[in-house]
Amino acid sequence: SQQGEEDPQALSIQEGENATMNCSYKTSINNLQWYRQNSGRGLVHLILIRSNEREKHSGRLRVTLDTSKKSSSLLITASRAADTASYFCATDEETSGSRLTFGEGTQLTVNP
Amino acid sequence: EAGVAQSPRYKIIEKRQSVAFWCNPISGHATLYWYQQILGQGPKLLIQFQNNGVVDDSQLPKDRFSAERLKGVDSTLKIQPAKLEDSAVYLCASSREWSSYNEQFFGPGTRLTVL
Protein backbone atom coordinates (compact mmCIF):
# COMPACT_ATOMS: atom_id res chain seq x y z
CA SER A 1 0.00 0.00 0.00
CA GLN A 2 1.17 3.55 -0.67
CA GLN A 3 2.01 5.48 2.48
CA GLY A 4 3.00 8.79 0.96
CA GLU A 5 0.82 10.85 -1.32
CA GLU A 6 2.53 13.58 -3.30
CA ASP A 7 0.88 16.79 -4.34
CA PRO A 8 0.71 18.01 -7.04
CA GLN A 9 0.89 15.04 -9.40
CA ALA A 10 2.47 17.27 -12.04
CA LEU A 11 4.13 20.68 -11.92
CA SER A 12 5.39 22.81 -14.80
CA ILE A 13 7.50 25.93 -14.16
CA GLN A 14 10.04 28.18 -15.87
CA GLU A 15 13.77 28.04 -15.26
CA GLY A 16 14.75 30.17 -12.31
CA GLU A 17 11.46 29.71 -10.48
CA ASN A 18 11.07 27.75 -7.26
CA ALA A 19 9.30 24.39 -7.20
CA THR A 20 7.45 23.08 -4.16
CA MET A 21 6.22 19.51 -3.80
CA ASN A 22 4.29 18.12 -0.87
CA CYS A 23 4.02 14.68 0.66
CA SER A 24 1.48 13.43 3.17
CA TYR A 25 1.62 10.13 5.02
CA LYS A 26 -0.60 8.16 7.36
CA THR A 27 1.40 6.52 10.15
CA SER A 28 4.24 7.45 12.51
CA ILE A 29 7.63 7.38 10.88
CA ASN A 30 11.31 7.11 11.76
CA ASN A 31 12.43 9.19 8.81
CA LEU A 32 11.30 10.54 5.45
CA GLN A 33 13.40 10.63 2.31
CA TRP A 34 13.13 12.28 -1.08
CA TYR A 35 14.32 10.66 -4.30
CA ARG A 36 14.58 11.88 -7.87
CA GLN A 37 14.00 9.74 -10.96
CA ASN A 38 14.96 10.90 -14.42
CA SER A 39 13.03 9.37 -17.29
CA GLY A 40 14.08 5.77 -17.88
CA ARG A 41 16.57 5.76 -15.02
CA GLY A 42 16.81 4.47 -11.48
CA LEU A 43 16.15 6.61 -8.44
CA VAL A 44 18.71 8.93 -6.86
CA HIS A 45 18.63 9.75 -3.16
CA LEU A 46 18.32 13.48 -2.48
CA ILE A 47 17.86 14.03 1.23
CA LEU A 48 16.77 12.32 4.45
CA ILE A 49 15.03 14.03 7.34
CA ARG A 50 14.62 12.32 10.69
CA SER A 51 11.35 12.39 12.61
CA ASN A 52 12.87 14.71 15.25
CA GLU A 53 14.03 17.24 12.64
CA ARG A 54 11.88 20.03 11.26
CA GLU A 55 13.97 21.38 8.39
CA LYS A 56 16.99 20.34 6.38
CA HIS A 57 18.97 21.93 3.56
CA SER A 58 21.18 20.50 0.84
CA GLY A 59 22.36 22.87 -1.86
CA ARG A 60 19.26 24.19 -3.63
CA LEU A 61 17.01 21.75 -1.76
CA ARG A 62 15.05 22.52 1.37
CA VAL A 63 12.94 19.89 3.09
CA THR A 64 10.52 20.47 5.93
CA LEU A 65 8.75 17.91 8.08
CA ASP A 66 5.65 18.45 10.21
CA THR A 67 4.98 15.25 12.14
CA SER A 68 1.83 16.70 13.72
CA LYS A 69 0.31 17.11 10.27
CA LYS A 70 2.08 14.03 8.87
CA SER A 71 3.40 16.03 5.95
CA SER A 72 6.63 17.08 4.30
CA SER A 73 7.56 19.50 1.57
CA LEU A 74 10.47 19.65 -0.85
CA LEU A 75 11.49 23.05 -2.17
CA ILE A 76 13.86 23.35 -5.12
CA THR A 77 15.10 26.93 -5.50
CA ALA A 78 16.26 28.56 -8.72
CA SER A 79 15.20 25.56 -10.78
CA ARG A 80 17.07 24.44 -13.90
CA ALA A 81 16.00 22.42 -16.93
CA ALA A 82 18.12 19.57 -15.56
CA ASP A 83 15.80 19.38 -12.53
CA THR A 84 13.09 17.96 -14.81
CA ALA A 85 12.29 14.57 -13.28
CA SER A 86 9.85 12.70 -11.05
CA TYR A 87 10.25 13.28 -7.34
CA PHE A 88 9.19 10.69 -4.76
CA CYS A 89 8.90 10.81 -1.03
CA ALA A 90 9.58 7.61 0.87
CA THR A 91 8.76 6.91 4.49
CA ASP A 92 10.17 4.48 6.99
CA GLU A 93 7.19 3.60 9.15
CA GLU A 94 7.96 2.87 12.79
CA THR A 95 6.48 -0.62 12.48
CA SER A 96 7.89 -1.50 9.06
CA GLY A 97 11.31 -2.83 10.03
CA SER A 98 13.28 -0.37 7.91
CA ARG A 99 11.15 -0.89 4.80
CA LEU A 100 10.74 2.25 2.69
CA THR A 101 7.27 2.95 1.32
CA PHE A 102 7.21 5.26 -1.69
CA GLY A 103 4.51 7.66 -2.77
CA GLU A 104 3.32 8.00 -6.34
CA GLY A 105 5.52 10.95 -7.17
CA THR A 106 5.35 14.45 -8.59
CA GLN A 107 6.40 14.97 -12.22
CA LEU A 108 8.31 18.24 -12.40
CA THR A 109 8.94 19.91 -15.76
CA VAL A 110 11.26 22.92 -15.86
CA ASN A 111 10.97 24.82 -19.12
CA PRO A 112 14.08 26.63 -20.41
CA GLU B 1 32.71 3.43 -7.23
CA ALA B 2 30.76 1.38 -9.78
CA GLY B 3 27.00 1.60 -9.45
CA VAL B 4 24.35 -1.08 -9.21
CA ALA B 5 24.27 -3.15 -12.39
CA GLN B 6 21.15 -4.80 -13.77
CA SER B 7 20.46 -6.93 -16.80
CA PRO B 8 18.73 -7.18 -19.12
CA ARG B 9 17.57 -3.58 -19.55
CA TYR B 10 14.47 -4.61 -21.49
CA LYS B 11 12.51 -7.84 -21.79
CA ILE B 12 9.37 -8.70 -23.71
CA ILE B 13 7.66 -12.02 -23.03
CA GLU B 14 4.25 -13.58 -23.47
CA LYS B 15 2.02 -14.35 -20.51
CA ARG B 16 2.67 -17.67 -18.81
CA GLN B 17 6.35 -17.55 -19.83
CA SER B 18 9.18 -17.33 -17.33
CA VAL B 19 11.69 -14.53 -16.94
CA ALA B 20 14.71 -13.82 -14.77
CA PHE B 21 16.47 -10.59 -13.86
CA TRP B 22 19.98 -10.19 -12.54
CA CYS B 23 21.44 -7.58 -10.19
CA ASN B 24 24.97 -6.90 -9.03
CA PRO B 25 25.04 -4.43 -6.11
CA ILE B 26 27.74 -1.97 -5.18
CA SER B 27 30.77 -3.78 -3.80
CA GLY B 28 30.61 -4.15 -0.04
CA HIS B 29 26.93 -3.37 0.29
CA ALA B 30 25.31 -5.88 2.60
CA THR B 31 21.68 -5.09 1.85
CA LEU B 32 19.99 -5.66 -1.50
CA TYR B 33 16.45 -4.73 -2.49
CA TRP B 34 14.14 -5.62 -5.39
CA TYR B 35 11.36 -3.16 -6.20
CA GLN B 36 8.51 -3.27 -8.70
CA GLN B 37 7.53 0.05 -10.28
CA ILE B 38 4.35 0.05 -12.31
CA LEU B 39 3.99 2.93 -14.79
CA GLY B 40 2.85 6.09 -13.05
CA GLN B 41 3.45 4.74 -9.55
CA GLY B 42 6.23 4.75 -7.02
CA PRO B 43 8.43 1.71 -6.42
CA LYS B 44 7.04 -1.06 -4.24
CA LEU B 45 9.43 -3.25 -2.27
CA LEU B 46 9.23 -6.92 -3.25
CA ILE B 47 12.07 -8.41 -1.22
CA GLN B 48 15.02 -7.29 0.90
CA PHE B 49 18.18 -9.29 1.61
CA GLN B 50 20.78 -8.76 4.31
CA ASN B 51 23.85 -10.60 2.98
CA ASN B 52 22.31 -13.88 1.76
CA GLY B 53 19.36 -13.91 4.15
CA VAL B 54 15.84 -12.62 3.50
CA VAL B 55 14.75 -9.93 5.95
CA ASP B 56 11.48 -8.85 4.31
CA ASP B 57 9.51 -10.63 1.59
CA SER B 58 6.05 -9.77 2.88
CA GLN B 59 5.06 -8.07 -0.40
CA LEU B 60 6.48 -10.70 -2.74
CA PRO B 61 3.79 -12.73 -4.60
CA LYS B 62 5.36 -16.02 -3.67
CA ASP B 63 3.14 -18.13 -5.91
CA ARG B 64 4.96 -16.78 -8.96
CA PHE B 65 7.92 -14.67 -7.83
CA SER B 66 11.15 -15.97 -6.33
CA ALA B 67 14.49 -14.39 -5.56
CA GLU B 68 17.84 -15.54 -4.31
CA ARG B 69 21.17 -14.09 -3.26
CA LEU B 70 23.13 -17.26 -2.69
CA LYS B 71 26.61 -15.90 -2.02
CA GLY B 72 25.52 -12.61 -0.52
CA VAL B 73 26.60 -10.63 -3.55
CA ASP B 74 24.58 -10.68 -6.78
CA SER B 75 20.93 -11.65 -6.93
CA THR B 76 18.34 -12.97 -9.34
CA LEU B 77 14.59 -12.33 -9.37
CA LYS B 78 12.38 -14.79 -11.26
CA ILE B 79 8.78 -14.68 -12.36
CA GLN B 80 7.15 -17.97 -13.31
CA PRO B 81 4.61 -17.84 -14.90
CA ALA B 82 4.26 -14.19 -15.85
CA LYS B 83 0.92 -12.39 -15.96
CA LEU B 84 -0.08 -9.25 -17.85
CA GLU B 85 -0.12 -7.26 -14.60
CA ASP B 86 3.58 -8.02 -14.07
CA SER B 87 4.46 -5.48 -16.75
CA ALA B 88 6.60 -2.98 -14.88
CA VAL B 89 10.13 -1.79 -14.26
CA TYR B 90 12.02 -3.99 -11.81
CA LEU B 91 14.54 -1.98 -9.84
CA CYS B 92 17.40 -3.33 -7.79
CA ALA B 93 18.98 -1.23 -5.05
CA SER B 94 21.68 -1.73 -2.45
CA SER B 95 22.82 -0.07 0.75
CA ARG B 96 25.73 -0.51 3.13
CA GLU B 97 23.67 -1.99 5.94
CA TRP B 98 20.11 -2.94 6.82
CA SER B 99 18.77 0.38 8.03
CA SER B 100 16.52 2.93 6.43
CA TYR B 101 19.05 5.58 7.51
CA ASN B 102 21.45 4.19 4.95
CA GLU B 103 21.09 5.70 1.49
CA GLN B 104 19.81 3.26 -1.11
CA PHE B 105 21.57 3.24 -4.48
CA PHE B 106 19.42 2.18 -7.41
CA GLY B 107 20.28 0.45 -10.65
CA PRO B 108 18.78 1.53 -14.01
CA GLY B 109 16.06 -1.12 -13.85
CA THR B 110 14.72 -3.81 -16.17
CA ARG B 111 11.61 -2.87 -18.11
CA LEU B 112 9.39 -5.95 -18.48
CA THR B 113 6.52 -6.08 -20.95
CA VAL B 114 4.17 -9.06 -20.75
CA LEU B 115 2.01 -9.56 -23.84
Side-chain angles (χ1 to χ4, degrees):
Chain A
S1 61
Q2 298 289 350
Q3 155 86 314
E5 293 184 5
E6 280 96 336
D7 168 53
Q9 287 189 328
L11 179 62
S12 182
I13 60 174
Q14 297 298 122
E15 254 189 336
E17 294 181 338
N18 295 341
T20 300
M21 287 158 270
N22 303 296
C23 170
S24 61
Y25 57 91
K26 298 183 177 69
T27 64
S28 296
I29 60 172
N30 294 315
N31 65 69
L32 184 146
Q33 305 178 32
W34 286 91
Y35 283 80
R36 183 187 75 228
Q37 185 176 36
N38 291 88
S39 180
R41 303 281 190 90
L43 282 78
V44 174
H45 181 267
L46 295 177
I47 197 164
L48 179 152
I49 187 164
R50 296 171 182 258
S51 60
N52 62 352
E53 297 176 313
R54 291 298 166 257
E55 189 171 312
K56 206 161 181 182
H57 296 254
S58 177
R60 294 183 297 112
L61 305 180
R62 173 177 168 255
V63 170
T64 62
L65 179 65
D66 187 336
T67 53
S68 67
K69 294 181 179 178
K70 292 188 170 57
S71 68
S72 173
S73 67
L74 171 68
L75 168 67
I76 304 174
T77 60
S79 63
R80 306 166 182 167
D83 295 328
T84 295
S86 291
Y87 291 82
F88 295 90
C89 69
T91 53
D92 171 25
E93 301 169 34
E94 285 183 351
T95 57
S96 74
S98 293
R99 179 201 313 152
L100 286 185
T101 302
F102 286 81
E104 301 207 341
T106 292
Q107 172 62 49
L108 173 66
T109 302
V110 182
N111 301 299
Chain B
E1 61 185 356
V4 176
Q6 289 189 248
S7 68
R9 290 296 312 277
Y10 304 92
K11 190 75 178 177
I12 301 174
I13 61 173
E14 295 191 350
K15 60 183 180 183
R16 291 189 289 274
Q17 285 187 323
S18 302
V19 65
F21 313 126
W22 175 82
C23 171
N24 191 27
I26 292 172
S27 177
H29 279 195
T31 309
L32 185 147
Y33 314 79
W34 283 104
Y35 289 89
Q36 179 193 59
Q37 186 176 22
I38 293 172
L39 186 65
Q41 297 182 15
K44 183 183 86 170
L45 180 70
L46 293 175
I47 190 167
Q48 178 178 338
F49 293 94
Q50 174 73 3
N51 297 311
N52 60 350
V54 175
V55 295
D56 186 350
D57 63 356
S58 58
Q59 300 186 111
L60 185 74
K62 298 180 186 65
D63 58 335
R64 298 183 300 105
F65 287 65
S66 64
E68 59 184 14
R69 192 185 184 200
L70 291 176
K71 296 182 180 178
V73 181
D74 57 352
S75 174
T76 54
L77 175 70
K78 296 179 182 177
I79 307 175
Q80 181 180 9
K83 292 185 175 181
L84 296 177
E85 58 260 37
D86 298 332
S87 292
V89 175
Y90 291 84
L91 295 164
C92 179
S94 69
S95 64
R96 291 187 189 282
E97 292 296 337
W98 173 32
S99 166
S100 69
Y101 293 94
N102 280 276
E103 177 181 346
Q104 292 187 26
F105 294 82
F106 283 78
T110 296
R111 182 176 298 276
L112 173 68
T113 302
V114 182
L115 302 175

